[in-house]
Amino acid sequence: MSSSAAPDAEPHHRAAADRAAGPGASHRFSGFLRSQAGNAALLGMCGAALLTFGSFGAGSVRREDPLLEDMYLSWLRFGHGLLLSTILIWVGVLLMIGAWVRVGRATLNGAVTLRDLWTILPAWVTPLLVATPMFSRDAYSYLAQGALLRDGFDPYSDGPVVNPGVLLDNVSNVWTTTTTPYGPVHLLLGAGITSVTGDNVVSGTWLWRLTMLPGLVLMAWAVPKLARRFGGNPAIALWLAVLNPLVLIHLVGGVHNELLMVGLMAAGIVLVVEGRHVGGIALVSFGAAIKATAGIALPFLVWVWMVHERDRARAEGRPPVAPVRLFFKAAGTGFVVFVAVFGGTSLLAGVGIGWMTALSGSSKIINWLSLPTMMAHVVTWFTPWRLGSALDVTRMLCAVALVVILVAAWWRFRRTERDAVLGIVVTLTAVTLLSPAALPWYYSWPLAVAAAFAMSPRTLMILVGLSTWLMLIFNPDGSIGMYNLAHVALAVVASVIAALSLCTEDPLRLRARPREKSASTADPARQ
């Protein structure tokens, strides 16, 4: 990382302590726990535990929860119990954000290694594995969609409403009639899970979360490798893209298929840049068969394959193949791999490509996180247009702009391996911002790839502030807090403090004030 982040004395103390303790892993681990970063790791684990307990009452809970009633905990969902649960969740979120920032500051200073971060990750994730879904009700939609395929319906033609039952009862009202916008692998997973768990919402949600968890492992493996390849700091990359509370709380705690999709995409990119092109494209194709977003990386991986073929020819002392011929070779083989993966899983699921038309269902989401919605709101301030009419125009304009950006970026970022991966970051960011709808966890898409590149402390501060704001702007039950001015203001304040704390241990100078006051009292000359 940039040298502008000055190291403190902690790395030297830790190194001395490790030498004194001996080479044993247990001694090293205990030494880490005694450090400031180790204390932060424990703080984050406590925050995850508070989040989990609070989720039983104030998360995206089931509309009827007999399990809580059997455990005599149903009081957590109402009145003072709900207030207590909500407080526990928000305290847990703030503790995890604070711990994440402290670990990041120590990582910038060289006091935390990649091994330390891999130790912290399971400590922060484990409590979340038993939590009720938080900040989103999508997990219930996944179960209902899987049950549709299990029960013989076509999820690309029918919404969950055609299959009444306990699973339907917990789906958000806005999605009950919406067809599935996800790929065949998502449907196969959902059908398999609901075949095992039946209509048991608790075990089904838990099994969905476990099924998505390999995506986190793939991210933890792939992100540092990409960082080594493209000049980033592997430890900083893992901290930013994987230990980020926005990723852990939303993707693990919220049970989102983005977790597996992003993990497969990142791992596939690693394989391609390491020269295992067919395997890498197959992994990314599997990611796209969960959610189409991963497919954005595929055209750029064709450029990487072409660069490798060209460089290998030069290294072997032979003239490279003509660019057009090389393109058709790489693109053609990649297309065959994609069709084999997508077509094979579609045949296995017994569905067609109806997910492409179902993608329009996301237009039901209206919030300020997407640029077309933001523009439409602003238009209504100065014109007599209603929001719906303005949205039609702004979404059309942004869709045209997105197509132009995708094509231009694909052509612009083609010359080197680094260019191609940077192009993936650009296009994923453009899709997130310009699509009709955006949700906080969508920002995990570009973040997982962008973390591979070297970033200045100032850039990292901006990303910390943005991640914190996105983490705080939704309510634990999945509702949007962006239309509550007080909620937005508090989220902004917390984001600024988190950003400043990355490079400053006490940005509010809270520790200095008592000392200044006591010094002023002790000095008669100041009185």
Side-chain angles (χ1 to χ4, degrees):
M1 290 300 300
S2 173
S3 60
S4 55
D8 56 22
E10 186 182 358
H12 305 291
H13 292 318
R14 281 194 59 200
D18 287 345
R19 286 194 297 270
S26 61
H27 293 297
R28 187 183 183 283
F29 180 67
S30 62
F32 169 70
L33 289 180
R34 290 193 297 270
S35 68
Q36 291 184 14
N39 292 336
L42 292 175
L43 183 68
M45 186 170 63
C46 291
L50 290 178
L51 264 166
T52 295
F53 192 76
S55 73
F56 298 145
S60 302
V61 297
R62 290 185 290 169
R63 294 192 167 96
E64 293 185 11
D65 200 332
L67 180 61
L68 280 186
E69 294 176 3
D70 293 342
M71 298 173 64
Y72 302 102
L73 292 174
S74 58
W75 58 273
L76 290 171
R77 300 181 58 193
F78 309 101
H80 291 90
L82 177 59
L83 177 61
L84 174 63
S85 299
T86 303
I87 292 172
L88 288 177
I89 285 185
W90 284 122
V91 170
V93 169
L94 293 176
L95 287 180
M96 285 197 73
I97 291 173
W100 175 62
V101 172
R102 288 180 64 185
V103 170
R105 185 169 64 240
T107 307
L108 273 172
N109 292 333
V112 175
T113 66
L114 199 58
R115 182 183 298 175
D116 294 331
L117 296 175
W118 276 329
T119 302
I120 293 172
L121 182 59
W124 288 7
V125 169
T126 301
L128 299 175
L129 295 180
V130 295
T132 296
M134 294 176 284
F135 297 94
S136 169
R137 302 187 66 85
D138 282 3
Y140 305 126
S141 293
Y142 297 170
L143 290 172
Q145 292 158 3
L148 284 175
L149 187 63
R150 177 199 67 187
D151 295 339
F153 295 96
D154 184 354
Y156 295 149
S157 302
D158 303 309
V161 72
V162 303
N163 196 20
V166 175
L167 298 182
L168 173 65
D169 294 343
N170 291 285
V171 176
S172 295
N173 294 333
V174 70
W175 302 125
T176 55
T177 59
T178 304
T179 55
T180 305
Y182 305 121
V185 170
H186 169 90
L187 292 177
L188 287 170
L189 292 174
I193 288 170
T194 53
S195 296
V196 171
T197 62
D199 288 348
N200 189 305
V201 179
V202 174
S203 58
T205 302
W206 182 71
L207 193 53
W208 253 117
R209 184 178 275 133
L210 289 185
T211 304
M212 296 296 104
L213 202 57
L216 188 69
V217 177
L218 288 173
M219 288 176 66
W221 171 80
V223 169
K225 281 184 170 290
L226 288 175
R228 292 189 186 98
R229 188 86 178 191
F230 298 111
N233 182 320
I236 289 294
L238 183 65
W239 164 79
L240 177 64
V242 181
L243 279 123
N244 194 323
L246 177 67
V247 173
L248 296 184
I249 297 174
H250 273 303
L251 298 192
V252 178
V255 197
H256 287 291
N257 58 13
E258 266 88 357
L259 185 60
L260 188 55
M261 182 270 285
V262 173
L264 288 168
M265 180 181 69
I269 293 172
V270 168
L271 292 186
V272 170
V273 299
E274 290 182 346
R276 291 172 283 180
H277 307 110
V278 172
I281 289 175
L283 277 186
V284 177
S285 299
F286 272 109
I290 294 173
K291 192 165 186 174
T293 310
I296 292 171
L298 291 172
F300 293 92
L301 298 181
V302 171
W303 296 137
V304 175
W305 195 341
M306 291 177 63
V307 168
H308 288 174
E309 292 288 343
R310 182 194 64 198
D311 292 347
R312 185 173 64 178
R314 290 173 177 171
E316 294 174 354
R318 53 185 174 83
V321 177
V324 174
R325 182 180 173 186
L326 192 56
F327 173 80
F328 278 105
K329 175 187 175 182
T333 306
F335 181 74
V336 169
V337 172
F338 174 79
V339 170
V341 170
F342 217 100
T345 53
S346 295
L347 287 174
L348 192 60
V351 295
I353 56 173
W355 59 273
M356 296 182 68
T357 56
L359 290 174
S360 61
S362 63
S363 61
K364 294 181 179 180
I365 302 173
I366 299 176
N367 64 51
W368 283 69
L369 291 180
S370 74
L371 186 59
T373 303
M374 190 184 306
M375 293 167 57
H377 274 293
V378 173
V379 166
T380 61
W381 296 347
F382 304 102
T383 70
W385 286 10
R386 293 183 178 273
L387 181 61
S389 301
L391 272 175
D392 291 339
V393 175
T394 56
R395 284 175 171 175
M396 181 189 65
L397 293 175
C398 287
V400 172
L402 179 59
V403 171
V404 172
I405 291 172
L406 293 179
V407 174
W410 180 68
W411 185 251
R412 162 66 178 80
F413 295 100
R414 71 185 190 279
R415 301 189 183 282
T416 66
E417 182 182 271
R418 180 187 177 86
D419 276 353
V421 176
L422 186 58
I424 295 173
V425 177
V426 171
T427 52
L428 286 173
T429 304
V431 168
T432 304
L433 292 174
L434 296 175
S435 292
L439 294 164
W441 50 92
Y442 287 9
Y443 288 82
S444 64
W445 308 342
L447 189 64
V449 186
F453 297 93
M455 300 180 190
S456 68
R458 182 178 295 276
T459 301
L460 289 172
M461 288 172 65
I462 293 172
L463 291 176
V464 165
L466 178 62
S467 297
T468 300
W469 188 83
L470 289 168
M471 182 61 251
L472 296 175
I473 204 59
F474 267 43
N475 292 310
D477 63 357
S479 59
I480 302 172
M482 299 181 68
Y483 297 98
N484 183 320
L485 186 58
H487 189 142
V488 173
L490 290 172
V492 169
V493 170
S495 303
V496 171
I497 294 173
L500 294 175
S501 298
L502 182 64
C503 294
T504 306
E505 189 171 344
D506 185 18
L508 299 180
R509 302 183 182 276
L510 297 177
R511 298 178 184 175
R513 290 173 185 172
R515 290 196 297 269
E516 292 173 359
K517 183 176 180 180
S518 60
S520 175
T521 304
D523 187 358
R526 295 187 180 183
Q527 298 180 358

PDB file of all heavy atoms in Angstrom, residues 19 33 87 101 104-105 151 238-239 248 260 297 331 346 358 375 381 450 467:
ATOM      1  N   ARG A  19       8.712 -13.433  19.005  1.00  0.00           N
ATOM      2  CA  ARG A  19      10.015 -14.071  19.153  1.00  0.00           C
ATOM      3  C   ARG A  19      10.188 -14.620  20.562  1.00  0.00           C
ATOM      4  O   ARG A  19      10.709 -15.710  20.778  1.00  0.00           O
ATOM      5  CB  ARG A  19      11.122 -13.066  18.829  1.00  0.00           C
ATOM      6  CG  ARG A  19      11.269 -12.770  17.345  1.00  0.00           C
ATOM      7  CD  ARG A  19      12.577 -12.051  17.068  1.00  0.00           C
ATOM      8  NE  ARG A  19      12.623 -10.747  17.724  1.00  0.00           N
ATOM      9  CZ  ARG A  19      12.188  -9.624  17.153  1.00  0.00           C
ATOM     10  NH1 ARG A  19      11.684  -9.654  15.932  1.00  0.00           N
ATOM     11  NH2 ARG A  19      12.258  -8.470  17.788  1.00  0.00           N
ATOM     12  N   LEU A  33      -4.102 -11.950  19.888  1.00  0.00           N
ATOM     13  CA  LEU A  33      -5.278 -11.567  20.664  1.00  0.00           C
ATOM     14  C   LEU A  33      -4.966 -10.445  21.648  1.00  0.00           C
ATOM     15  O   LEU A  33      -5.842  -9.649  21.980  1.00  0.00           O
ATOM     16  CB  LEU A  33      -5.834 -12.776  21.416  1.00  0.00           C
ATOM     17  CG  LEU A  33      -6.518 -13.857  20.571  1.00  0.00           C
ATOM     18  CD1 LEU A  33      -7.016 -14.984  21.454  1.00  0.00           C
ATOM     19  CD2 LEU A  33      -7.677 -13.271  19.762  1.00  0.00           C
ATOM     20  N   ILE A  87     -32.189  -2.338  19.243  1.00  0.00           N
ATOM     21  CA  ILE A  87     -30.973  -1.742  19.819  1.00  0.00           C
ATOM     22  C   ILE A  87     -29.803  -2.714  19.724  1.00  0.00           C
ATOM     23  O   ILE A  87     -28.677  -2.328  19.358  1.00  0.00           O
ATOM     24  CB  ILE A  87     -31.228  -1.336  21.288  1.00  0.00           C
ATOM     25  CG1 ILE A  87     -32.209  -0.168  21.339  1.00  0.00           C
ATOM     26  CG2 ILE A  87     -29.925  -0.963  21.986  1.00  0.00           C
ATOM     27  CD1 ILE A  87     -32.675   0.191  22.742  1.00  0.00           C
ATOM     28  N   VAL A 101     -12.862  -1.239  11.077  1.00  0.00           N
ATOM     29  CA  VAL A 101     -12.008  -0.072  10.825  1.00  0.00           C
ATOM     30  C   VAL A 101     -10.707  -0.188  11.620  1.00  0.00           C
ATOM     31  O   VAL A 101      -9.621   0.118  11.107  1.00  0.00           O
ATOM     32  CB  VAL A 101     -12.761   1.228  11.172  1.00  0.00           C
ATOM     33  CG1 VAL A 101     -11.822   2.423  11.091  1.00  0.00           C
ATOM     34  CG2 VAL A 101     -13.947   1.424  10.228  1.00  0.00           C
ATOM     35  N   GLY A 104      -8.540  -2.597   9.958  1.00  0.00           N
ATOM     36  CA  GLY A 104      -8.007  -1.982   8.744  1.00  0.00           C
ATOM     37  C   GLY A 104      -6.865  -1.036   9.039  1.00  0.00           C
ATOM     38  O   GLY A 104      -5.854  -1.012   8.311  1.00  0.00           O
ATOM     39  N   ARG A 105      -6.990  -0.242  10.097  1.00  0.00           N
ATOM     40  CA  ARG A 105      -5.909   0.682  10.460  1.00  0.00           C
ATOM     41  C   ARG A 105      -4.644  -0.089  10.824  1.00  0.00           C
ATOM     42  O   ARG A 105      -3.536   0.263  10.412  1.00  0.00           O
ATOM     43  CB  ARG A 105      -6.360   1.567  11.627  1.00  0.00           C
ATOM     44  CG  ARG A 105      -5.355   2.646  11.989  1.00  0.00           C
ATOM     45  CD  ARG A 105      -5.929   3.653  12.962  1.00  0.00           C
ATOM     46  NE  ARG A 105      -6.263   3.048  14.242  1.00  0.00           N
ATOM     47  CZ  ARG A 105      -7.482   3.021  14.768  1.00  0.00           C
ATOM     48  NH1 ARG A 105      -8.505   3.548  14.109  1.00  0.00           N
ATOM     49  NH2 ARG A 105      -7.706   2.462  15.943  1.00  0.00           N
ATOM     50  N   ASP A 151     -42.196 -28.429  -6.996  1.00  0.00           N
ATOM     51  CA  ASP A 151     -43.592 -28.860  -7.106  1.00  0.00           C
ATOM     52  C   ASP A 151     -44.112 -28.867  -8.544  1.00  0.00           C
ATOM     53  O   ASP A 151     -45.313 -28.981  -8.768  1.00  0.00           O
ATOM     54  CB  ASP A 151     -44.477 -27.959  -6.241  1.00  0.00           C
ATOM     55  CG  ASP A 151     -44.157 -28.101  -4.755  1.00  0.00           C
ATOM     56  OD1 ASP A 151     -43.582 -29.134  -4.371  1.00  0.00           O
ATOM     57  OD2 ASP A 151     -44.466 -27.173  -3.987  1.00  0.00           O
ATOM     58  N   LEU A 238      -8.143  -8.419   1.247  1.00  0.00           N
ATOM     59  CA  LEU A 238      -9.015  -9.325   1.990  1.00  0.00           C
ATOM     60  C   LEU A 238      -9.830  -8.561   3.025  1.00  0.00           C
ATOM     61  O   LEU A 238     -11.032  -8.804   3.194  1.00  0.00           O
ATOM     62  CB  LEU A 238      -8.169 -10.402   2.676  1.00  0.00           C
ATOM     63  CG  LEU A 238      -8.933 -11.476   3.453  1.00  0.00           C
ATOM     64  CD1 LEU A 238      -9.780 -12.323   2.504  1.00  0.00           C
ATOM     65  CD2 LEU A 238      -7.978 -12.359   4.237  1.00  0.00           C
ATOM     66  N   TRP A 239      -9.183  -7.641   3.717  1.00  0.00           N
ATOM     67  CA  TRP A 239      -9.893  -6.825   4.714  1.00  0.00           C
ATOM     68  C   TRP A 239     -11.020  -6.018   4.076  1.00  0.00           C
ATOM     69  O   TRP A 239     -12.135  -5.964   4.583  1.00  0.00           O
ATOM     70  CB  TRP A 239      -8.900  -5.892   5.404  1.00  0.00           C
ATOM     71  CG  TRP A 239      -9.540  -4.774   6.149  1.00  0.00           C
ATOM     72  CD1 TRP A 239     -10.125  -4.816   7.384  1.00  0.00           C
ATOM     73  CD2 TRP A 239      -9.705  -3.425   5.689  1.00  0.00           C
ATOM     74  NE1 TRP A 239     -10.629  -3.589   7.721  1.00  0.00           N
ATOM     75  CE2 TRP A 239     -10.388  -2.713   6.701  1.00  0.00           C
ATOM     76  CE3 TRP A 239      -9.328  -2.748   4.524  1.00  0.00           C
ATOM     77  CZ2 TRP A 239     -10.706  -1.365   6.568  1.00  0.00           C
ATOM     78  CZ3 TRP A 239      -9.649  -1.422   4.391  1.00  0.00           C
ATOM     79  CH2 TRP A 239     -10.332  -0.740   5.417  1.00  0.00           C
ATOM     80  N   LEU A 248     -20.310  -9.150   5.030  1.00  0.00           N
ATOM     81  CA  LEU A 248     -20.632 -10.206   5.990  1.00  0.00           C
ATOM     82  C   LEU A 248     -22.071 -10.111   6.474  1.00  0.00           C
ATOM     83  O   LEU A 248     -22.796 -11.107   6.513  1.00  0.00           O
ATOM     84  CB  LEU A 248     -19.674 -10.143   7.175  1.00  0.00           C
ATOM     85  CG  LEU A 248     -18.192 -10.410   6.864  1.00  0.00           C
ATOM     86  CD1 LEU A 248     -17.376 -10.421   8.146  1.00  0.00           C
ATOM     87  CD2 LEU A 248     -18.013 -11.720   6.111  1.00  0.00           C
ATOM     88  N   LEU A 260     -22.403 -16.501  -3.303  1.00  0.00           N
ATOM     89  CA  LEU A 260     -21.866 -17.571  -4.138  1.00  0.00           C
ATOM     90  C   LEU A 260     -21.535 -17.058  -5.528  1.00  0.00           C
ATOM     91  O   LEU A 260     -20.529 -17.459  -6.121  1.00  0.00           O
ATOM     92  CB  LEU A 260     -22.873 -18.720  -4.212  1.00  0.00           C
ATOM     93  CG  LEU A 260     -22.400 -20.001  -4.895  1.00  0.00           C
ATOM     94  CD1 LEU A 260     -21.125 -20.532  -4.262  1.00  0.00           C
ATOM     95  CD2 LEU A 260     -23.499 -21.069  -4.842  1.00  0.00           C
ATOM     96  N   ALA A 297     -18.309 -10.341 -16.645  1.00  0.00           N
ATOM     97  CA  ALA A 297     -16.856 -10.544 -16.689  1.00  0.00           C
ATOM     98  C   ALA A 297     -16.410 -11.340 -17.912  1.00  0.00           C
ATOM     99  O   ALA A 297     -15.251 -11.236 -18.341  1.00  0.00           O
ATOM    100  CB  ALA A 297     -16.405 -11.254 -15.416  1.00  0.00           C
ATOM    101  N   ALA A 331     -12.949 -16.406 -28.066  1.00  0.00           N
ATOM    102  CA  ALA A 331     -14.368 -16.124 -27.852  1.00  0.00           C
ATOM    103  C   ALA A 331     -15.227 -17.345 -28.174  1.00  0.00           C
ATOM    104  O   ALA A 331     -16.205 -17.645 -27.468  1.00  0.00           O
ATOM    105  CB  ALA A 331     -14.804 -14.937 -28.709  1.00  0.00           C
ATOM    106  N   SER A 346     -29.685 -25.656 -17.322  1.00  0.00           N
ATOM    107  CA  SER A 346     -31.083 -25.371 -17.681  1.00  0.00           C
ATOM    108  C   SER A 346     -31.833 -26.653 -18.013  1.00  0.00           C
ATOM    109  O   SER A 346     -32.993 -26.842 -17.619  1.00  0.00           O
ATOM    110  CB  SER A 346     -31.144 -24.408 -18.873  1.00  0.00           C
ATOM    111  OG  SER A 346     -30.604 -23.141 -18.543  1.00  0.00           O
ATOM    112  N   ALA A 358     -37.601 -12.025 -16.869  1.00  0.00           N
ATOM    113  CA  ALA A 358     -37.907 -11.796 -15.459  1.00  0.00           C
ATOM    114  C   ALA A 358     -37.003 -10.737 -14.837  1.00  0.00           C
ATOM    115  O   ALA A 358     -37.316 -10.212 -13.769  1.00  0.00           O
ATOM    116  CB  ALA A 358     -37.785 -13.098 -14.676  1.00  0.00           C
ATOM    117  N   MET A 375     -32.295  10.614 -10.410  1.00  0.00           N
ATOM    118  CA  MET A 375     -32.601  11.632 -11.413  1.00  0.00           C
ATOM    119  C   MET A 375     -34.105  11.888 -11.494  1.00  0.00           C
ATOM    120  O   MET A 375     -34.551  13.036 -11.604  1.00  0.00           O
ATOM    121  CB  MET A 375     -32.059  11.184 -12.778  1.00  0.00           C
ATOM    122  CG  MET A 375     -30.541  11.130 -12.868  1.00  0.00           C
ATOM    123  SD  MET A 375     -29.962  10.238 -14.349  1.00  0.00           S
ATOM    124  CE  MET A 375     -30.756  11.156 -15.657  1.00  0.00           C
ATOM    125  N   TRP A 381     -39.038  17.527  -8.694  1.00  0.00           N
ATOM    126  CA  TRP A 381     -38.949  18.750  -7.889  1.00  0.00           C
ATOM    127  C   TRP A 381     -39.176  19.997  -8.734  1.00  0.00           C
ATOM    128  O   TRP A 381     -39.612  21.020  -8.226  1.00  0.00           O
ATOM    129  CB  TRP A 381     -37.583  18.855  -7.215  1.00  0.00           C
ATOM    130  CG  TRP A 381     -37.306  17.770  -6.218  1.00  0.00           C
ATOM    131  CD1 TRP A 381     -38.184  16.888  -5.683  1.00  0.00           C
ATOM    132  CD2 TRP A 381     -36.037  17.452  -5.642  1.00  0.00           C
ATOM    133  NE1 TRP A 381     -37.571  16.032  -4.810  1.00  0.00           N
ATOM    134  CE2 TRP A 381     -36.238  16.347  -4.753  1.00  0.00           C
ATOM    135  CE3 TRP A 381     -34.752  17.961  -5.774  1.00  0.00           C
ATOM    136  CZ2 TRP A 381     -35.212  15.785  -4.023  1.00  0.00           C
ATOM    137  CZ3 TRP A 381     -33.715  17.401  -5.046  1.00  0.00           C
ATOM    138  CH2 TRP A 381     -33.951  16.321  -4.172  1.00  0.00           C
ATOM    139  N   ALA A 450     -12.226  -4.809  -7.496  1.00  0.00           N
ATOM    140  CA  ALA A 450     -11.471  -3.567  -7.329  1.00  0.00           C
ATOM    141  C   ALA A 450     -10.433  -3.671  -6.227  1.00  0.00           C
ATOM    142  O   ALA A 450      -9.386  -3.012  -6.281  1.00  0.00           O
ATOM    143  CB  ALA A 450     -12.432  -2.417  -7.032  1.00  0.00           C
ATOM    144  N   SER A 467     -18.982   2.153   2.350  1.00  0.00           N
ATOM    145  CA  SER A 467     -19.431   0.853   2.861  1.00  0.00           C
ATOM    146  C   SER A 467     -20.239   1.020   4.140  1.00  0.00           C
ATOM    147  O   SER A 467     -21.267   0.357   4.335  1.00  0.00           O
ATOM    148  CB  SER A 467     -18.219  -0.063   3.122  1.00  0.00           C
ATOM    149  OG  SER A 467     -17.520  -0.354   1.935  1.00  0.00           O
TER     150      SER A 467
END
